Amino acid sequence: MKLVILYGQEATGKLTVGKHISTQAGFNLFHNHLSVQVAMCLYPYGDPRYDDLVVRVRLLAFESAAKNKLPGLIFTWAYTHPECFHHFQLIQETLATYDVEICLVHLHCSQKALESRVTSEERRELGKISDVEGLHRQQHRKNCVEIPGHNSLVLDTTNISPEDAAKNVVNHYDLLTTGA
């Protein structure tokens, strides 16, 4: 199985690019907010039980996909360092006994593009940050860098269509030989 992890700060196009990869490669899409929505049903944001449940849901999903030999899975993540590095290590540990290749893709774009994209209706509907002030607060508190010590395909989504960004990922990681 190939686990494609699309990561970067808010509004870089992770979900949109992920949908196009899903269509092009035939992989299922497990976006970040699916696990967040489960945790929000039980605990308030910031509660340690909330964070624990988010991580457990993700690990369970990844392990289930690997155990059942899905060809691939796409995961979107607003990875921030160093806070999320332990979570990344848990993903690696959980999948170590399975035949899984983790394909890292770091998306970024210009500040102007971020501020334009963050206000989209789709973001609001999904409960994502959907205003420029919220984006600025996240940027101030987060360190959205490449995952250290691991090779990532780095894509600037400022001037590339989501379809073309997805094609780059599919070609770089040879996803068509694994997928549909």
Side-chain angles (χ1 to χ4, degrees):
M1 179 179 97
K2 291 190 179 186
L3 174 61
V4 179
I5 299 178
L6 298 173
Y7 70 99
Q9 69 177 311
E10 290 77 1
T12 54
K14 298 178 298 292
L15 181 56
T16 305
V17 171
K19 287 177 181 179
H20 287 285
I21 295 170
S22 177
T23 298
Q24 293 175 26
F27 289 7
N28 293 330
L29 175 62
F30 183 79
H31 67 84
N32 178 55
H33 276 260
L34 294 173
S35 54
V36 167
Q37 289 168 349
V38 170
M40 283 178 26
C41 291
L42 301 174
Y43 308 109
Y45 180 79
D47 185 310
R49 297 170 297 180
Y50 169 96
D51 294 334
D52 180 63
L53 185 56
V54 167
V55 171
R56 286 174 179 261
V57 167
R58 292 172 184 171
L59 294 176
L60 181 62
F62 300 156
E63 186 171 27
S64 178
K67 187 182 298 184
N68 290 292
K69 299 182 183 346
L70 293 185
L73 183 65
I74 304 158
F75 174 57
T76 66
W77 192 12
Y79 174 88
T80 184
H81 192 77
E83 297 85 357
C84 294
F85 191 69
H86 180 68
H87 180 188
F88 178 70
Q89 291 173 314
L90 289 174
I91 293 169
Q92 291 179 300
E93 290 169 15
T94 299
L95 299 177
T97 60
Y98 299 97
D99 184 20
V100 175
E101 177 186 351
I102 297 176
C103 305
L104 298 173
V105 182
H106 183 235
L107 301 182
H108 66 94
C109 65
S110 72
Q111 184 66 28
K112 184 177 178 182
L114 291 173
E115 291 176 1
S116 171
R117 295 173 185 178
V118 77
T119 59
S120 78
E121 186 59 35
E122 181 184 25
R123 292 187 61 80
R124 193 175 344 280
E125 290 171 1
L126 289 171
K128 295 180 169 193
I129 292 171
S130 56
D131 61 82
V132 174
E133 294 78 23
L135 173 67
H136 290 167
R137 281 191 303 276
Q138 287 292 76
Q139 289 176 316
H140 180 67
R141 81 173 188 84
K142 286 185 163 186
N143 183 29
C144 295
V145 297
E146 289 180 53
I147 297 173
H150 300 275
N151 291 326
S152 296
L153 172 62
V154 178
L155 291 176
D156 182 340
T157 61
T158 303
N159 296 311
I160 187 172
S161 72
E163 297 88 351
D164 286 341
K167 284 179 192 171
N168 283 336
V169 174
V170 168
N171 291 334
H172 183 82
Y173 285 113
D174 202 18
L175 302 182
L176 292 180
T177 63
T178 314

